[in-house]
Amino acid sequence: MGVGSSACKGFMYPQAEDPEKDAAPRSLSTVTRLPFLSAFEDRPDFTPVDILCERDLSLLKALTHHRTPFAVVETTDSDTRIIYASGGCVAGMGMPVESIEGTSFGAVLKKGIHASQADVDRLEAAIRAKQDLSLVVKGSTGKRNSKNVPYTQFYTTTVTDAGGQPLYSFVSLQPVTGAEAEPSQTMPYRFRRAWTCLKPSSVWSLFTPYKTLCDVDSGLVTALQDRREMFCITDPELYDNPIVFVSDDFVDMTGYNREEINGINCRFLQGEMTSTEDVDVIRYGLKEETDMRVCLLNYRKNGTAFLNQFNLSPLRDTSGKVAFFIGVQIEVEDAEVMPFPTTRQTLQEMLMDEEEKDFWDDAEPAPAQERATVVDAPGVKRKRMNLEALLPRGGLFSQSKENSTLPAAPLGRAVSGSNPEEPEEPE
């Protein structure tokens, strides 16, 4: 990971006397790139009578906060009666709420979006069997560019009480443009996956990986948690690379709670003065699956800005495939990126215990950690050289999907394929 210069250099951190005073809270956007429903009807939040298990209570908070269209459907009735419909669900069906709540789920789908009997039977069967199901149904519940989006993706998931007894099902809906859609595109799936990572602790929250990490990256996560660093973890295999874990310090510093953060992309911290060039550096690190650093302007929930020295690293499984990305945040007062070493190097230097040092020396790295050689395709060189201008030379890990390198490679060779000590030939 190289040290990068920031396009927000010279921006002075605003010293507010009271950050909470006279600061309008920022509304959180999911920014899913999916079609949106044309209108939402104001509806009261769903209030469960029974005490839900922690995971499902968190799921309900996330669905409500992100205004995800969903319905609560009875699982014991033979006609799968709808108990509650959110504002987005009412808007998507295009029916009065009085015609939805208390009515059979299948009857509402047939009348609202003209769903086929076969699709209705599959959804109702999953609800009665208390199974999770993702299904794309032909029928429009939303618009894009004033045109109806022809398909709707439904996702059913069973909700249980604190004792583990099934109560009812949450059924979400969102318009999609094609008949083929992955379950990971659904908001409930992403929220559920995010919350399966959270292991309650009497002191602070711990990340429990649901993929087997290589020894080096598993040790990296453990070291970060032991030292209570501020970081977040995302899953690139889920749609839009959502956050699946945030540390307690991340929650405290940004002002957002976990229900607001888990399951969405990290871009929610960006604002109107966040540099697109800084964001491009992060996108480059994600695309190339490499360590990367940049200092960019982010915003707390109360609207106050802060300078974030952001450190990105891929976390690989035992086969060498990227399982997660980890982003470590350091709040700084100067937009000039500090000459800190990489995330891994920083932690190795912090590990003063000889036994821990021995672990890092003996840890089994991910396969194929050999020096990568990047060959530029036609027309790519100029774009990569622009990124090189954002990052000073030296220290960038050169990692690709096939190869990854722990020793630092010269930035000019890793990014542009050229030797930084040799002059560039004129084009």
Side-chain angles (χ1 to χ4, degrees):
M1 173 167 51
V3 179
S5 62
S6 172
C8 63
K9 179 179 179 181
F11 180 87
M12 298 302 295
Y13 177 77
Q15 300 291 337
E17 295 181 1
D18 185 0
E20 300 293 337
K21 185 178 180 180
D22 299 330
R26 301 178 68 234
S27 59
L28 196 63
S29 173
T30 54
V31 196
T32 59
R33 300 199 304 268
L34 292 171
F36 289 100
L37 298 177
S38 54
F40 283 76
E41 180 176 320
D42 289 333
R43 302 272 359 265
D45 297 341
F46 175 67
T47 304
V49 177
D50 301 280
I51 299 177
L52 305 185
C53 68
E54 182 180 354
R55 188 180 71 156
D56 290 335
L57 180 60
S58 299
L59 174 61
L60 174 60
K61 290 180 180 178
L63 291 172
T64 303
H65 176 81
H66 296 291
R67 302 189 73 191
T68 304
F70 75 100
V72 182
V73 182
E74 182 65 63
T75 58
T76 56
D77 292 348
S78 58
D79 60 353
T80 58
R81 181 175 54 90
I82 296 178
I83 305 172
Y84 169 84
S86 71
C89 178
V90 174
M93 291 296 110
M95 300 166 56
V97 65
E98 295 80 7
S99 301
I100 298 178
E101 294 181 348
T103 307
S104 164
F105 178 70
V108 170
L109 291 191
K110 290 178 183 178
K111 184 176 180 180
I113 63 172
H114 307 291
S116 67
Q117 185 62 48
D119 290 335
V120 170
D121 290 343
R122 288 189 62 185
L123 288 169
E124 289 188 327
I127 293 171
R128 294 192 186 99
K130 302 174 179 62
Q131 296 176 344
D132 289 1
L133 173 67
S134 175
L135 181 66
V136 178
V137 173
K138 188 173 183 180
S140 176
T141 56
K143 295 182 178 182
R144 172 176 281 176
N145 298 329
S146 301
K147 296 182 180 179
N148 286 335
V149 180
Y151 295 93
T152 299
Q153 184 175 17
F154 289 87
Y155 186 83
T156 69
T157 185
T158 303
V159 178
T160 61
D161 61 18
Q165 294 298 317
L167 297 173
Y168 32 72
S169 290
F170 287 160
V171 182
S172 74
L173 58 132
Q174 60 191 38
V176 291
T177 55
E180 300 295 330
E182 294 295 326
S184 62
Q185 292 187 13
T186 62
M187 297 296 283
Y189 182 94
R190 290 157 56 186
F191 294 143
R192 271 207 184 282
R193 172 56 76 187
W195 279 92
T196 58
C197 304
L198 192 60
K199 180 179 179 181
S201 169
S202 58
V203 183
W204 64 85
S205 304
L206 300 177
F207 176 64
T208 306
Y210 48 91
K211 304 174 189 177
T212 305
L213 299 178
C214 66
D215 288 347
V216 169
D217 290 344
S218 177
L220 171 65
V221 175
T222 301
L224 283 169
Q225 295 193 131
D226 288 346
R227 285 152 183 81
R228 300 196 64 179
E229 298 292 334
M230 185 169 66
F231 68 96
C232 65
I233 294 176
T234 68
D235 188 341
E237 292 187 347
L238 297 180
Y239 179 74
D240 205 25
N241 192 24
I243 295 173
V244 295
F245 179 81
V246 290
S247 66
D248 287 352
D249 285 3
F250 185 99
V251 173
D252 294 340
M253 197 273 289
T254 63
Y256 293 101
N257 58 47
R258 285 188 169 82
E259 288 86 355
E260 296 175 305
I261 298 173
N262 283 351
I264 65 172
N265 189 277
C266 297
R267 68 175 69 92
F268 73 92
L269 290 176
Q270 299 171 21
E272 59 179 345
M273 294 187 67
T274 303
S275 168
T276 56
E277 293 180 350
D278 294 338
V279 176
D280 286 341
V281 174
I282 299 175
R283 288 173 178 165
Y284 174 82
L286 294 171
K287 180 180 179 182
E288 297 298 321
E289 298 181 350
T290 184
D291 292 90
M292 188 64 67
R293 168 179 293 140
V294 68
C295 186
L296 75 164
L297 192 68
N298 281 158
Y299 293 83
R300 296 182 177 85
K301 184 177 181 179
N302 63 13
T304 59
F306 67 98
L307 290 172
N308 178 12
Q309 180 153 311
F310 181 74
N311 304 266
L312 174 73
S313 292
L315 301 178
R316 299 180 182 273
D317 60 20
T318 52
S319 67
K321 180 182 177 182
V322 173
F324 304 101
F325 282 99
I326 187 167
V328 181
Q329 292 83 18
I330 303 173
E331 185 177 0
V332 295
E333 294 185 357
D334 194 330
E336 184 72 34
V337 176
M338 302 298 290
F340 298 144
T342 67
T343 301
R344 290 183 174 86
Q345 291 170 339
T346 302
L347 287 168
Q348 285 174 311
E349 292 179 3
M350 290 170 58
L351 295 175
M352 303 304 295
D353 185 86
E354 291 298 328
E355 182 178 346
E356 291 183 349
K357 286 185 178 180
D358 292 340
F359 164 79
W360 283 94
D361 292 337
D362 300 335
E364 192 71 27
Q369 287 185 340
E370 301 174 357
R371 187 171 298 278
T373 302
V374 178
V375 179
D376 285 320
V380 176
K381 183 174 182 181
R382 181 174 298 276
K383 181 178 180 181
R384 291 191 175 182
M385 289 300 291
N386 288 339
L387 283 171
E388 183 179 0
L390 296 176
L391 298 171
R393 300 182 185 277
L396 175 66
F397 284 179
S398 72
Q399 291 182 337
S400 64
K401 295 180 181 179
E402 294 78 22
N403 302 286
S404 58
T405 303
L406 286 179
L411 180 64
R413 188 179 303 280
V415 175
S416 66
S418 63
N419 190 329
E421 298 179 357
E422 296 177 359
E424 290 287 331
E425 295 181 4
E427 297 183 351

